[in-house]
Amino acid sequence: MNFLRGVMGGQSAGPQHTEAETIQKLCDRVASSTLLDDRRNAVRALKSLSKKYRLEVGIQAMEHLIHVLQTDRSDSEIIGYALDTLYNIISNDEEEEVEENSTRPSEDLGSQFTEIFIKQPENITLLLSLLEEFDFHVRWPGVKLLTSLLKHLGPQVQQIILVSPMGVSRLMDLLADSREVIRNDGVLLLQALTRSNGAIQKIVAFENAFERLLDIITEEGNSDGGIVVEDCLLLLQNLLKNNNSNQNFFKEGSYIQRMKPWFEVGDENSGWSAQKVTNLHLMLQLVRVLVSPTNPPGATSSCQKAMFQCGLLQQLCTILMATGVPADILTETINTVSEVIRGCQVNQDYFASVNAPSNPPRPAIVVLLMSMVNERQPFVLRCAVLYCFQCFLYKNQKGQGEIVSTLLPSTIDATGNSVSAGQLLCGGLFSTDSLSNWCAAVALAHALQENATQKEQLLRVQLATSIGNPPVSLLQQCTNILSQGSKIQTRVGLLMLLCTWLSNCPIAVTHFLHNSANVPFLTGQIAENLGEEEQLVQGLCALLLGITIYFNDNSLESYMKEKLKQLIEKRIGKENFIEKLGFISKHDLYSRASQKPQPNFLSPECMIFDHEFTKLVKELEGVITKAIYKSREEDKEEEEVKKTLEQHDSIVTHYKNMIREQDLQLEELKQQISTLKCQNEQLQTAVTQQASQIQQHKDQYNLLKIQLGKETQHQGSHNDGAQMNGIQPEEISRLREEVEELKSNQELLQSQLAEKDSLIESLKSLETSSGMNEQSSEAASIRDSEQIAELKQELETLKSQLNTQSMEINNLQIEKQELLQKAEAFAQSVPVPGDSEKIAAKTTDVEGRLSALLEENKELKNEIKSLSEEKTAIKEQLDSSNSTIAILQNEKNSLELHIKDSKKEQDDLLVLLADQDQKIIAIKKKLKEAGHPDEEEDELIIPVGQDDEFDEDEDDDKNDIEGDIQL
């Protein structure tokens, strides 16, 4: 601003400069200055002047500002000033709308500057590239500038962005910006970008826009959020409205389920701020966008089902029945529920089951109808209830029957404690409020729409007009009210009801013609020359009279088709009749009602036509015109054609029934064939499995046979192994090797004992033999015990093998029995009469396979028998092995006893030998003391077998020594 002050301060010294000259100097400084600071200051000064002197700055500085954007991108500050200046020039803020120096409207000025800016498409591309900058002072003014450009010349800017590489993707990054100001303005930018451009809407949707927008709505608090939620909802509407691709993507992405928390408002009596009402209103409109009747039927149906499955419809019904909900939200909720259930049987059934929280509980339909026929309720609310009732009955014959049944005498509550839907409709039909008459008549007409059964049932309804008078039919009461000359709205509603009731129902036409006053009344209404207000009633009367002609079955002689046409020609004239009939489609409100199913009227007086009735008029107007101009001969020909067609239809129906029966028979036969095929496949599988199992058993049998053959050969060549027939030859050889090893070990031990006992050679024969016998017997006993343990283990192994073989044999027998049962069941199955030759061939093939299978089973039976015999032989061998083991055990026991005895004898000998050694030593000492020579020591060695003699000599020697000592 110092630079600006210097420029402006110079005005006092010289002549006064105009604003244009100041702006021109600033532009020259931007264009010619080489210092970045000077250019930055000049652009900042232009920014400050751009709001007040918008036109001058725009004309002189726009080109220089664009050049700054191209050349000075490295300096974010000057870029930000330039973008702000361009935004002030192009945008139409409230401050600029009161601009004094501009002679043109502000919007026109902004559009002109926008056109200048986008004349070079590179400028938009340059602006998109600047949006990639993360600097706040660059990105935020860039977003605002692009939004302003889109507001002025949206289609042209959209096309430039669409052809720009990654143009839309760059803008989508704004939603992920952590700065809320940029993110929120980015939402506004995308709103302007996606408006009325399906291609950009698809690109934005597939750039994950739904996910990001729903996240923002959730973060902001759903319906309790601020204006950011409102902007996100408006952007979602832009993306989804009239865009089938995006709607399908929204549904397939499971985003409908994320809408349910929006409507969790409960029974709140307070807290409905203006912003919350706005947000919830937009949320309801977004739901309606997905299920709009103008969408393709398939897409609408899938969205309706998804809304029911995720609980969204239930949540809407909760709001519908809640207290304290604002009137406009309640009205929009009713319209939303209407389109969610329209034409969807599941949703319609659920809505029929909804009850209001009253005491006693009442169906929601009854509560809504009470509001519709109550003239004190707001007009828009009554229209919404009527639309909801129409959507509930649309393509819902079950619901139509339930409504009509509440009018029949057998279902009316005699106590009068509860009010039914039928009673409310009748009450509204005959009330003093013309709007209630019209709504009730249209609602009742929808209960009869394309349902001949309910049209006939409604003829049974009887009404008690006053005490003492007989009851009259509902049809007669409607015609009575018509003849009384009520309000136009009431008469239009009743005529629409009668036209809907009588169309495609000859029985109802006959009942109508039974009243002799009805036809004169209609002809009188049509023939009169009334004002413009009555022309619509005349047209509807002509339509009703034409329906009585076209759908007349000539059951009444006085009102046959030909007589009615003669009556029209005499009293009205055919041309005049056709002209009056054309008054309906020429009415101003007719075309408006034919556009949308929803009754959307500006005022109650405009509530004249129903959408479904306009379709009926289009369908009948032409055929009634043809019927009026047909001659008697043409009628006869037409009747003959009809009779022929009826006969043809009866024949066709007969053949259709025959074909249907044959189709059923064919289905049964196909099911039987498929069942037989399955059984055949199962049997073939079972046969294959059995064959493989039989082969396995054969292999096992051959292996056992070979093993048993080897054992028998080994038994014949070695008689010593006769008692071990149950043991394998390899095991027998191993046991023999172990026995030989035991023998060698025994000999080694004997030799070792001989060496150790060499020190006591004085006990040569007796002591050596006894010691060796004891040691060898002990070692033998140990080896024998180990051998016996190993034999026991082998015996247990053989037993387990035998058990396994016996179990396999049993399983084989069981499988054989099952196979035989399946084969017998398949053989007993009789083929269905009329089957093809293929089935017979397959049956013959299966029988041949079964016969082969039976033969294999016989062979298997013989093999099993031989296996059982071999099993018996193996058992006998096992018994003999057990006896052998018992004998070995006895031998072991006896050997152990012998070893014990040998040990005892050896111990005794060792004790005796020790005693002898002591005695010898004592004798030697005595001899030395007595003076005997040492040579006699050898003679004193006495053999072990001479114990008694040695003892006697010892006693004698002792006596001699004692005598010598005494001397």
Side-chain angles (χ1 to χ4, degrees), residues 129-199:
S129 64
L130 290 174
L131 291 179
E132 294 181 350
E133 297 291 336
F134 189 74
D135 191 286
F136 180 80
H137 297 288
V138 175
R139 179 172 274 196
W140 187 39
V143 171
K144 293 192 296 181
L145 176 59
L146 187 56
T147 305
S148 182
L149 293 172
L150 285 165
K151 287 180 180 178
H152 289 300
L153 295 176
Q156 293 89 328
V157 180
Q158 287 173 345
Q159 190 62 31
I160 296 172
I161 294 175
L162 189 61
V163 299
S164 177
M166 299 296 291
V168 179
S169 300
R170 294 173 182 173
L171 300 179
M172 286 301 301
D173 294 337
L174 299 174
L175 295 180
D177 200 303
S178 58
R179 295 160 293 193
E180 291 188 0
V181 176
I182 296 179
R183 184 199 67 184
N184 299 342
D185 283 348
V187 174
L188 297 176
L189 171 60
L190 291 174
Q191 279 185 26
L193 180 65
T194 57
R195 190 174 289 116
S196 303
N197 193 308

Side-chain angles (χ1 to χ4, degrees), residues 268-306:
E268 296 184 7
N269 295 321
S270 61
W272 289 91
S273 63
Q275 187 62 53
K276 181 174 182 179
V277 171
T278 302
N279 291 343
L280 198 58
H281 198 274
L282 291 172
M283 290 173 178
L284 292 169
Q285 288 182 351
L286 190 62
V287 175
R288 294 185 64 184
V289 166
L290 295 172
V291 293
S292 174
T294 58
N295 294 342
T300 300
S301 177
S302 59
C303 289
Q304 288 173 334
K305 292 178 182 178

Side-chain angles (χ1 to χ4, degrees), residues 454-508:
Q454 302 309 323
K455 292 178 181 178
E456 297 176 5
Q457 289 293 323
L458 199 62
L459 296 172
R460 298 170 49 200
V461 177
Q462 300 291 321
L463 301 176
T465 55
S466 60
I467 300 175
N469 293 328
V472 296
S473 65
L474 177 62
L475 182 64
Q476 183 60 41
Q477 185 65 19
C478 291
T479 57
N480 292 340
I481 295 175
L482 276 176
S483 62
Q484 292 173 2
S486 55
K487 295 181 181 180
I488 292 179
Q489 194 173 35
T490 301
R491 284 183 289 163
V492 169
L494 291 173
L495 285 169
M496 287 194 298
L497 172 61
L498 291 174
C499 290
T500 305
W501 194 348
L502 269 60
S503 63
N504 294 296
C505 186
I507 298 176

Side-chain angles (χ1 to χ4, degrees), residues 614-626:
T614 58
K615 292 196 216 176
L616 182 65
V617 173
K618 291 179 183 178
E619 178 185 349
L620 295 179
E621 188 175 5
V623 295
I624 289 174
T625 303
K626 291 180 181 179

